[in-house]
Amino acid sequence: MRTAVVWEVLREALDGRVEQGPGRELDVLDTGGGAGHFAVPVARLGHRVTVVDPSPNALFALERRAADAGVADRVRGVQGDVHGLFDVAERDGYDAVLCHGVLEYVDDPAEGLRNAAAALRPSGLLSVLAPGLGGAVLARALAGHFSDARRALTGTDGRWGEGDPVPRRFTAEQLTSLVGDAGLEIRSVHGVRIFSDLVGGLEEQEPGAVEALLELERAAAQRPDFHSVASRLHVLATRK
């Protein structure tokens, strides 16, 4: 439920990239890919995936997950981060780069995106997933934390307080501007977890409600009027 929309968009884009290229195997770089939530499914499609992550524990979990899925020969984990990306990854070397859950943590999101873009081959795909400002504001307000909601809304980083585990949030305009400034052409923008983070388990109380909620998420994902209240924002772009 939490990443279904992203996965569907990403898989379709990877299939399209295969149709444009000389072979069916793509070279994919997953920056901050952690334990392989996306890397392993991408490898199961038949692609080669390099995961760059600063956490040794996450890379160990990635190794186990890839082995359990039977794709250990297609997944390689290396310790590093997006700021020092070319210490461990190739420049101009990948058909697709995933930058999921990275920009909110790095010191300089613009630099991180420039590095991710520079890792792409011409016409390569960039998939960016980052936390949305509006979703956090709405969630805090609905929980009765109105001062937190106002702080997130009016602050420079989108945080609602010292206890906020997310260091930075973005509006759709901020995120697409960063992607465009990195020399990329935006193909699509999707709102992710527009409703699922707000319903608080209500979908489990009625038969068929989970499937209905997922269909609602799919229907709203591409509508710009819902991007402003999404918990996550997904941008798909190509290198010019």
Side-chain angles (χ1 to χ4, degrees):
M1 175 67 71
R2 295 172 69 86
T3 58
V5 170
V6 179
W7 172 246
E8 290 167 4
V9 172
L10 179 62
R11 178 169 183 168
E12 182 179 354
L14 292 174
D15 289 346
R17 180 68 175 163
V18 167
E19 294 174 1
Q20 297 172 0
R24 298 195 60 81
E25 293 185 359
L26 301 179
D27 292 307
V28 179
L29 177 66
D30 189 352
T31 64
H37 182 75
F38 280 93
V40 168
V42 169
R44 293 182 69 178
L45 296 178
H47 306 311
R48 297 176 292 268
V49 187
T50 298
V51 176
V52 176
D53 196 278
S55 169
N57 291 336
L59 293 174
F60 180 69
L62 167 71
E63 184 178 347
R64 288 187 298 176
R65 176 174 281 182
D68 291 344
V71 293
D73 59 329
R74 294 185 175 275
V75 177
R76 181 174 72 98
V78 292
Q79 191 171 0
D81 60 39
V82 72
H83 283 318
L85 187 60
F86 300 115
D87 294 336
V88 294
E90 297 179 38
R91 191 180 295 269
D92 305 316
Y94 303 91
D95 299 290
V97 173
L98 313 187
C99 190
H100 296 173
V102 172
L103 299 184
E104 59 267 40
Y105 295 106
V106 298
D107 294 332
D108 188 343
E111 180 191 6
L113 276 176
R114 287 194 297 269
N115 287 346
L120 287 168
R121 292 168 179 158
S123 300
L125 295 165
L126 178 69
S127 176
V128 179
L129 184 64
L133 172 61
V137 172
L138 184 60
R140 298 308 287 177
L142 290 177
H145 303 296
F146 306 119
S147 295
D148 287 353
R150 184 178 182 277
R151 180 171 178 175
L153 179 64
T154 59
T156 58
D157 52 16
R159 301 187 74 217
W160 47 256
E162 294 301 323
D164 192 340
V166 179
R168 187 186 293 109
R169 293 184 176 88
F170 305 86
T171 65
E173 292 77 13
Q174 289 170 336
L175 192 58
T176 54
S177 179
L178 283 169
V179 172
D181 289 346
L184 298 159
E185 182 176 355
I186 295 170
R187 289 178 45 170
S188 64
V189 181
H190 292 84
V192 181
R193 288 159 53 183
I194 297 168
F195 308 102
S196 58
D197 283 5
L198 301 175
V199 296
L202 293 175
E203 75 279 9
E204 299 176 2
Q205 299 178 16
E206 182 179 343
V210 171
E211 292 77 9
L213 178 57
L214 181 55
E215 289 303 315
L216 178 61
E217 291 278 2
R218 288 188 179 115
Q222 293 191 65
R223 295 187 55 162
D225 43 337
F226 284 98
H227 293 169
S228 61
V229 294
S231 295
R232 295 290 185 274
L233 295 166
H234 181 238
V235 177
L236 190 68
T238 54
R239 181 174 177 179
K240 295 179 183 179

Coordinates of all heavy atoms in Angstrom, one line a residue, residues 96-180:
A96 N 19.2 3.8 -15.1 CA 18.3 4.4 -14.2 C 18.9 4.6 -12.8 O 19.8 3.8 -12.4 CB 17.1 3.5 -14.0
V97 N 18.5 5.7 -12.1 CA 19.0 6.0 -10.8 C 17.8 6.2 -9.9 O 16.9 7.0 -10.2 CB 19.9 7.2 -10.7 CG1 20.3 7.6 -9.3 CG2 21.2 6.9 -11.5
L98 N 17.8 5.5 -8.7 CA 16.7 5.7 -7.8 C 17.3 6.6 -6.6 O 18.4 6.3 -6.1 CB 16.3 4.4 -7.2 CG 15.9 3.2 -8.1 CD1 15.3 2.1 -7.4 CD2 15.0 3.7 -9.3
C99 N 16.6 7.6 -6.3 CA 16.9 8.5 -5.2 C 15.7 8.6 -4.3 O 15.0 9.6 -4.3 CB 17.3 9.8 -5.8 SG 18.1 11.0 -4.6
H100 N 15.5 7.5 -3.5 CA 14.3 7.4 -2.7 C 14.7 7.6 -1.2 O 15.6 6.9 -0.7 CB 13.7 6.0 -2.8 CG 13.1 5.8 -4.2 ND1 12.6 4.6 -4.6 CD2 13.0 6.6 -5.3 CE1 12.2 4.7 -5.9 NE2 12.4 5.9 -6.3
G101 N 14.1 8.5 -0.5 CA 14.3 8.7 0.9 C 15.7 9.2 1.2 O 16.3 8.9 2.2
V102 N 16.3 10.0 0.3 CA 17.6 10.5 0.4 C 17.7 12.0 0.6 O 18.4 12.5 1.5 CB 18.5 10.2 -0.9 CG1 19.8 10.9 -0.9 CG2 18.6 8.7 -1.0
L103 N 16.9 12.8 -0.2 CA 17.0 14.2 -0.2 C 16.7 14.9 1.2 O 17.2 16.0 1.5 CB 16.2 14.8 -1.3 CG 16.5 14.4 -2.7 CD1 15.6 15.2 -3.7 CD2 18.0 14.7 -3.0
E104 N 15.8 14.3 1.9 CA 15.5 14.8 3.2 C 16.6 14.7 4.2 O 16.6 15.4 5.3 CB 14.2 14.2 3.8 CG 14.3 12.7 4.0 CD 13.8 11.9 2.8 OE1 14.1 12.2 1.7 OE2 13.1 10.8 3.1
Y105 N 17.6 13.9 4.0 CA 18.7 13.7 5.0 C 20.0 14.3 4.6 O 20.8 14.6 5.5 CB 18.9 12.2 5.2 CG 17.7 11.5 5.8 CD1 16.9 10.7 5.1 CD2 17.4 11.7 7.1 CE1 15.8 10.1 5.6 CE2 16.3 11.0 7.7 CZ 15.5 10.2 7.0 OH 14.4 9.6 7.5
V106 N 20.2 14.6 3.3 CA 21.5 15.1 2.9 C 21.7 16.6 3.2 O 20.7 17.3 3.3 CB 21.8 14.9 1.4 CG1 21.8 13.4 1.1 CG2 20.7 15.6 0.6
D107 N 22.9 17.1 3.4 CA 23.1 18.5 3.7 C 22.7 19.4 2.5 O 22.3 20.5 2.8 CB 24.6 18.7 4.0 CG 25.0 18.0 5.3 OD1 24.2 17.8 6.2 OD2 26.2 17.6 5.4
D108 N 22.9 18.9 1.3 CA 22.7 19.8 0.1 C 21.9 19.0 -0.9 O 22.5 18.2 -1.7 CB 24.0 20.2 -0.5 CG 23.8 21.3 -1.6 OD1 22.7 21.4 -2.1 OD2 24.8 21.9 -1.9
P109 N 20.6 19.0 -0.9 CA 19.7 18.3 -1.8 C 20.1 18.6 -3.3 O 20.0 17.7 -4.1 CB 18.3 18.7 -1.5 CG 18.4 19.1 -0.1 CD 19.7 19.8 0.1
A110 N 20.4 19.8 -3.6 CA 20.7 20.2 -5.0 C 22.0 19.5 -5.5 O 22.0 18.9 -6.6 CB 20.9 21.7 -5.1
E111 N 23.0 19.4 -4.6 CA 24.2 18.7 -5.0 C 23.9 17.2 -5.1 O 24.4 16.5 -6.1 CB 25.3 18.9 -3.9 CG 26.6 18.2 -4.3 CD 27.6 18.2 -3.2 OE1 27.2 18.6 -2.0 OE2 28.7 17.7 -3.4
G112 N 23.1 16.6 -4.2 CA 22.8 15.2 -4.3 C 22.1 14.9 -5.6 O 22.4 13.9 -6.3
L113 N 21.2 15.8 -6.0 CA 20.5 15.5 -7.3 C 21.4 15.7 -8.5 O 21.3 15.0 -9.5 CB 19.3 16.4 -7.4 CG 18.0 16.0 -6.7 CD1 16.9 17.0 -6.9 CD2 17.5 14.6 -7.3
R114 N 22.3 16.6 -8.4 CA 23.3 16.8 -9.5 C 24.1 15.6 -9.7 O 24.4 15.1 -10.8 CB 24.1 18.0 -9.3 CG 23.4 19.4 -9.5 CD 24.4 20.5 -9.6 NE 25.1 20.7 -8.4 CZ 24.8 21.5 -7.4 NH1 23.6 22.2 -7.5 NH2 25.5 21.6 -6.3
N115 N 24.5 15.0 -8.6 CA 25.3 13.8 -8.6 C 24.5 12.6 -9.2 O 25.0 11.8 -10.0 CB 25.9 13.4 -7.3 CG 27.0 14.3 -6.8 OD1 27.6 15.0 -7.6 ND2 27.3 14.3 -5.5
A116 N 23.3 12.5 -8.7 CA 22.4 11.4 -9.3 C 22.2 11.6 -10.8 O 22.2 10.6 -11.5 CB 21.1 11.4 -8.5
A117 N 22.0 12.8 -11.2 CA 21.8 13.0 -12.7 C 23.1 12.7 -13.4 O 23.0 12.2 -14.5 CB 21.4 14.5 -12.9
A118 N 24.3 13.0 -12.9 CA 25.5 12.8 -13.6 C 25.9 11.3 -13.7 O 26.7 10.9 -14.5 CB 26.6 13.5 -12.8
A119 N 25.2 10.5 -12.8 CA 25.4 9.1 -12.9 C 24.6 8.4 -14.1 O 24.9 7.3 -14.4 CB 25.0 8.4 -11.6
L120 N 23.7 9.2 -14.6 CA 22.9 8.6 -15.7 C 23.5 8.6 -17.1 O 24.3 9.6 -17.4 CB 21.6 9.4 -15.8 CG 20.5 9.2 -14.6 CD1 19.5 10.3 -14.7 CD2 19.9 7.8 -14.7
R121 N 23.2 7.6 -17.8 CA 23.5 7.7 -19.3 C 22.5 8.6 -20.0 O 21.5 8.9 -19.4 CB 23.4 6.3 -19.8 CG 24.5 5.3 -19.3 CD 24.2 3.9 -19.7 NE 25.3 3.0 -19.2 CZ 25.2 1.7 -19.0 NH1 24.0 1.1 -19.2 NH2 26.2 1.0 -18.5
P122 N 22.9 9.1 -21.2 CA 21.9 9.9 -21.9 C 20.5 9.3 -22.0 O 20.4 8.1 -22.3 CB 22.6 10.0 -23.3 CG 24.0 9.9 -23.0 CD 24.1 8.9 -21.9
S123 N 19.5 10.0 -21.7 CA 18.1 9.6 -21.7 C 17.8 8.7 -20.6 O 16.7 8.0 -20.5 CB 17.7 9.0 -23.0 OG 17.9 9.9 -24.1
G124 N 18.7 8.5 -19.6 CA 18.5 7.6 -18.5 C 17.4 8.2 -17.6 O 17.1 9.4 -17.6
L125 N 16.8 7.3 -16.7 CA 15.7 7.6 -15.8 C 16.2 8.0 -14.4 O 17.0 7.3 -13.9 CB 14.8 6.4 -15.7 CG 14.0 6.0 -17.0 CD1 13.5 4.6 -16.8 CD2 12.9 6.9 -17.3
L126 N 15.6 9.0 -13.8 CA 15.8 9.3 -12.4 C 14.4 9.2 -11.7 O 13.5 9.8 -12.1 CB 16.4 10.7 -12.2 CG 16.6 11.1 -10.8 CD1 17.7 10.3 -10.1 CD2 16.9 12.6 -10.6
S127 N 14.4 8.4 -10.6 CA 13.2 8.3 -9.8 C 13.5 8.9 -8.4 O 14.4 8.4 -7.7 CB 12.8 6.8 -9.7 OG 11.7 6.7 -8.8
V128 N 12.8 9.9 -8.1 CA 13.0 10.6 -6.8 C 11.8 10.5 -5.9 O 10.6 10.8 -6.4 CB 13.3 12.2 -7.0 CG1 13.5 12.9 -5.7 CG2 14.5 12.3 -7.9
L129 N 12.0 10.1 -4.7 CA 10.9 10.0 -3.7 C 11.3 10.7 -2.5 O 12.3 10.5 -1.9 CB 10.6 8.5 -3.4 CG 9.4 8.2 -2.4 CD1 8.1 8.6 -3.1 CD2 9.4 6.7 -2.1
A130 N 10.4 11.7 -2.1 CA 10.8 12.5 -0.9 C 9.5 12.9 -0.1 O 8.4 12.9 -0.7 CB 11.5 13.8 -1.4
P131 N 9.7 13.3 1.1 CA 8.5 13.6 1.9 C 7.8 14.9 1.5 O 8.5 15.9 1.2 CB 9.0 13.7 3.4 CG 10.5 13.9 3.2 CD 10.9 13.3 1.9
G132 N 6.5 14.9 1.5 CA 5.8 16.1 1.1 C 5.4 16.9 2.3 O 5.0 16.4 3.4
L133 N 5.5 18.2 2.2 CA 5.1 19.2 3.3 C 3.7 19.1 3.6 O 3.3 19.0 4.8 CB 5.5 20.6 2.8 CG 5.1 21.7 3.8 CD1 5.7 21.5 5.2 CD2 5.4 23.1 3.2
G134 N 2.8 19.2 2.7 CA 1.4 19.3 3.0 C 0.8 18.1 3.7 O 0.0 18.3 4.6
G135 N 1.3 16.9 3.4 CA 0.8 15.7 4.1 C 1.1 15.8 5.6 O 0.3 15.4 6.4
A136 N 2.3 16.3 5.9 CA 2.7 16.4 7.4 C 1.9 17.4 8.1 O 1.5 17.2 9.2 CB 4.2 16.7 7.5
V137 N 1.7 18.6 7.4 CA 0.9 19.6 8.0 C -0.6 19.1 8.3 O -1.1 19.3 9.4 CB 0.8 20.9 7.1 CG1 -0.2 21.9 7.6 CG2 2.2 21.5 7.0
L138 N -1.1 18.5 7.3 CA -2.5 17.9 7.5 C -2.6 16.9 8.6 O -3.5 16.9 9.4 CB -3.0 17.4 6.1 CG -4.4 16.9 6.1 CD1 -5.4 18.0 6.4 CD2 -4.7 16.3 4.7
A139 N -1.6 16.0 8.6 CA -1.6 14.9 9.6 C -1.5 15.5 11.0 O -2.2 15.1 12.0 CB -0.5 14.0 9.4
R140 N -0.6 16.5 11.2 CA -0.5 17.1 12.6 C -1.8 17.9 13.0 O -2.2 17.8 14.1 CB 0.7 18.1 12.6 CG 2.0 17.4 12.4 CD 2.3 16.2 13.2 NE 2.6 16.6 14.6 CZ 2.8 15.7 15.6 NH1 2.7 14.4 15.4 NH2 3.1 16.1 16.8
A141 N -2.4 18.5 12.0 CA -3.6 19.3 12.3 C -4.8 18.3 12.7 O -5.5 18.6 13.6 CB -4.0 20.1 11.1
L142 N -4.9 17.2 11.9 CA -6.0 16.3 12.2 C -5.8 15.6 13.5 O -6.8 15.1 14.1 CB -6.1 15.3 11.1 CG -6.6 15.8 9.7 CD1 -6.5 14.7 8.7 CD2 -8.0 16.3 9.9
A143 N -4.5 15.5 14.0 CA -4.3 14.9 15.3 C -4.4 15.9 16.4 O -4.2 15.5 17.6 CB -2.8 14.3 15.3
G144 N -4.8 17.1 16.1 CA -5.0 18.2 17.1 C -3.8 18.9 17.5 O -3.8 19.7 18.4
H145 N -2.6 18.7 16.8 CA -1.4 19.4 17.1 C -1.3 20.6 16.2 O -0.5 20.7 15.3 CB -0.2 18.5 16.9 CG -0.3 17.2 17.8 ND1 -0.3 17.3 19.1 CD2 -0.4 15.9 17.4 CE1 -0.3 16.0 19.6 NE2 -0.4 15.2 18.6
F146 N -2.0 21.6 16.5 CA -2.2 22.8 15.6 C -0.9 23.6 15.5 O -0.5 24.2 14.5 CB -3.4 23.6 15.9 CG -4.7 22.8 16.0 CD1 -5.4 22.7 17.2 CD2 -5.1 22.1 14.9 CE1 -6.5 21.9 17.2 CE2 -6.3 21.3 14.9 CZ -7.0 21.3 16.1
S147 N -0.2 23.8 16.7 CA 1.0 24.6 16.7 C 2.1 23.9 15.9 O 2.9 24.5 15.2 CB 1.5 24.8 18.1 OG 0.6 25.6 18.9
D148 N 2.1 22.5 16.0 CA 3.1 21.8 15.2 C 2.8 21.9 13.7 O 3.7 22.1 12.9 CB 3.0 20.3 15.5 CG 3.6 19.9 16.9 OD1 4.2 20.8 17.5 OD2 3.4 18.8 17.3
A149 N 1.5 21.9 13.3 CA 1.1 22.0 11.9 C 1.5 23.4 11.4 O 2.1 23.5 10.3 CB -0.4 21.8 11.8
R150 N 1.3 24.4 12.2 CA 1.7 25.8 11.7 C 3.2 25.9 11.6 O 3.7 26.5 10.7 CB 1.2 26.8 12.7 CG 1.4 28.2 12.3 CD 0.8 29.2 13.3 NE 1.1 30.6 12.8 CZ 2.2 31.3 13.0 NH1 3.2 30.7 13.7 NH2 2.3 32.5 12.6
R151 N 3.9 25.3 12.6 CA 5.4 25.4 12.5 C 5.9 24.7 11.2 O 6.8 25.2 10.6 CB 6.0 24.7 13.7 CG 7.5 24.7 13.7 CD 8.1 24.3 15.1 NE 9.6 24.3 15.1 CZ 10.3 24.0 16.1 NH1 9.7 23.7 17.3 NH2 11.6 24.0 16.0
A152 N 5.4 23.5 10.9 CA 5.8 22.9 9.7 C 5.5 23.7 8.4 O 6.3 23.8 7.5 CB 5.1 21.5 9.6
L153 N 4.3 24.3 8.5 CA 3.8 25.1 7.3 C 4.6 26.3 7.1 O 4.9 26.7 5.9 CB 2.3 25.4 7.5 CG 1.7 26.2 6.4 CD1 1.6 25.4 5.1 CD2 0.3 26.6 6.8
T154 N 5.0 27.0 8.1 CA 5.7 28.3 8.0 C 7.2 28.2 8.1 O 7.9 29.2 7.8 CB 5.2 29.3 9.1 OG1 5.4 28.7 10.4 CG2 3.7 29.5 8.9
G155 N 7.8 27.1 8.5 CA 9.2 27.0 8.6 C 9.9 26.8 7.3 O 9.2 26.6 6.3
T156 N 11.2 26.8 7.3 CA 12.0 26.7 6.1 C 12.3 25.3 5.7 O 12.6 25.0 4.6 CB 13.3 27.4 6.3 OG1 14.0 26.9 7.4 CG2 13.1 28.9 6.5
D157 N 12.1 24.3 6.7 CA 12.5 23.0 6.4 C 11.3 22.0 6.5 O 11.4 20.8 6.2 CB 13.6 22.5 7.4 CG 13.2 22.7 8.8 OD1 12.0 23.0 9.1 OD2 14.1 22.7 9.7
G158 N 10.1 22.5 6.8 CA 8.9 21.6 6.9 C 8.8 20.7 8.1 O 8.0 19.9 8.2
R159 N 9.7 21.0 9.1 CA 9.6 20.2 10.3 C 8.6 20.8 11.3 O 8.4 22.0 11.4 CB 11.0 20.1 11.0 CG 12.1 19.6 10.1 CD 13.4 19.4 10.9 NE 13.3 18.3 11.8 CZ 13.8 18.2 13.1 NH1 14.4 19.3 13.5 NH2 13.7 17.2 13.8
W160 N 7.9 19.9 12.1 CA 6.9 20.3 13.0 C 7.4 20.5 14.4 O 6.7 21.0 15.3 CB 5.7 19.4 13.0 CG 5.9 17.9 13.1 CD1 5.9 17.0 12.1 CD2 6.3 17.2 14.2 NE1 6.1 15.7 12.5 CE2 6.4 15.8 13.9 CE3 6.5 17.5 15.6 CZ2 6.7 14.8 14.8 CZ3 6.8 16.5 16.5 CH2 6.9 15.2 16.1
G161 N 8.6 20.1 14.7 CA 9.2 20.3 16.0 C 10.5 19.5 16.2 O 10.9 18.8 15.3
E162 N 11.0 19.6 17.4 CA 12.3 19.0 17.7 C 12.2 17.5 17.7 O 13.2 16.7 17.4 CB 12.8 19.4 19.1 CG 13.2 20.9 19.2 CD 14.3 21.3 18.2 OE1 15.2 20.4 18.0 OE2 14.2 22.4 17.7
G163 N 11.0 16.9 17.9 CA 10.8 15.5 17.9 C 10.5 14.9 16.5 O 10.3 13.7 16.4
D164 N 10.5 15.8 15.5 CA 10.2 15.3 14.2 C 11.3 14.5 13.6 O 12.5 15.0 13.5 CB 9.9 16.6 13.3 CG 9.3 16.2 11.9 OD1 9.4 15.1 11.5 OD2 8.8 17.1 11.3
P165 N 11.1 13.3 13.2 CA 12.2 12.4 12.7 C 12.6 12.8 11.3 O 13.6 12.2 10.8 CB 11.6 11.0 12.8 CG 10.1 11.2 12.6 CD 9.8 12.5 13.3
V166 N 11.9 13.6 10.6 CA 12.2 13.9 9.2 C 12.9 15.3 9.2 O 12.3 16.3 9.6 CB 10.9 14.0 8.3 CG1 11.3 14.3 6.9 CG2 10.2 12.6 8.4
P167 N 14.1 15.4 8.7 CA 14.9 16.6 8.7 C 14.4 17.7 7.8 O 14.6 18.9 7.9 CB 16.3 16.2 8.4 CG 16.4 14.7 8.6 CD 15.0 14.2 8.3
R168 N 13.7 17.3 6.7 CA 13.3 18.2 5.7 C 12.2 17.7 4.8 O 12.1 16.5 4.5 CB 14.5 18.5 4.7 CG 14.4 19.6 3.7 CD 15.6 19.6 2.7 NE 16.8 20.1 3.4 CZ 17.8 19.3 3.7 NH1 17.8 18.0 3.3 NH2 18.9 19.8 4.3
R169 N 11.3 18.6 4.4 CA 10.2 18.2 3.6 C 10.1 19.2 2.4 O 10.6 20.3 2.5 CB 8.8 18.2 4.3 CG 8.8 17.1 5.4 CD 7.4 17.0 6.0 NE 7.3 15.9 7.0 CZ 7.7 16.0 8.2 NH1 8.1 17.1 8.7 NH2 7.6 14.9 9.0
F170 N 9.3 18.8 1.4 CA 9.3 19.5 0.1 C 7.9 19.7 -0.4 O 7.0 18.9 -0.2 CB 10.1 18.8 -1.0 CG 11.5 18.5 -0.6 CD1 11.8 17.3 0.0 CD2 12.5 19.4 -1.0 CE1 13.1 17.0 0.4 CE2 13.9 19.1 -0.7 CZ 14.2 17.9 0.0
T171 N 7.6 20.8 -1.0 CA 6.4 21.0 -1.8 C 6.7 20.4 -3.2 O 7.9 20.2 -3.6 CB 6.0 22.4 -1.9 OG1 7.0 23.1 -2.7 CG2 5.8 23.1 -0.6
A172 N 5.6 20.2 -4.0 CA 5.9 19.6 -5.3 C 6.7 20.6 -6.1 O 7.5 20.2 -7.0 CB 4.5 19.3 -6.0
E173 N 6.4 21.9 -5.9 CA 7.1 22.9 -6.7 C 8.6 23.0 -6.3 O 9.5 23.1 -7.2 CB 6.5 24.3 -6.4 CG 5.1 24.5 -7.0 CD 4.0 23.8 -6.2 OE1 4.3 23.4 -5.0 OE2 2.9 23.7 -6.7
Q174 N 8.9 22.8 -5.1 CA 10.3 22.8 -4.7 C 11.0 21.6 -5.2 O 12.2 21.7 -5.7 CB 10.4 22.8 -3.1 CG 10.0 24.1 -2.5 CD 9.9 24.0 -1.0 OE1 9.6 22.9 -0.4 NE2 10.0 25.1 -0.3
L175 N 10.4 20.4 -5.2 CA 11.0 19.2 -5.6 C 11.3 19.2 -7.1 O 12.3 18.9 -7.6 CB 10.2 18.0 -5.2 CG 10.9 16.6 -5.3 CD1 12.2 16.6 -4.5 CD2 10.0 15.5 -4.9
T176 N 10.2 19.6 -7.9 CA 10.4 19.6 -9.3 C 11.4 20.7 -9.8 O 12.1 20.5 -10.7 CB 9.1 19.9 -10.0 OG1 8.5 21.1 -9.5 CG2 8.1 18.7 -9.8
S177 N 11.5 21.8 -9.0 CA 12.5 22.8 -9.3 C 13.9 22.3 -9.1 O 14.8 22.5 -9.9 CB 12.3 24.0 -8.4 OG 13.3 25.0 -8.7
L178 N 14.1 21.5 -8.0 CA 15.4 20.9 -7.8 C 15.8 19.9 -8.9 O 16.9 19.9 -9.4 CB 15.4 20.2 -6.4 CG 15.6 21.1 -5.2 CD1 15.3 20.2 -4.0 CD2 16.9 21.7 -5.1
V179 N 14.8 19.1 -9.3 CA 15.1 18.1 -10.4 C 15.4 18.8 -11.7 O 16.3 18.5 -12.4 CB 13.9 17.2 -10.5 CG1 14.0 16.3 -11.7 CG2 13.7 16.4 -9.2
G180 N 14.6 19.9 -12.0 CA 14.9 20.6 -13.3 C 16.2 21.3 -13.3 O 16.9 21.3 -14.3

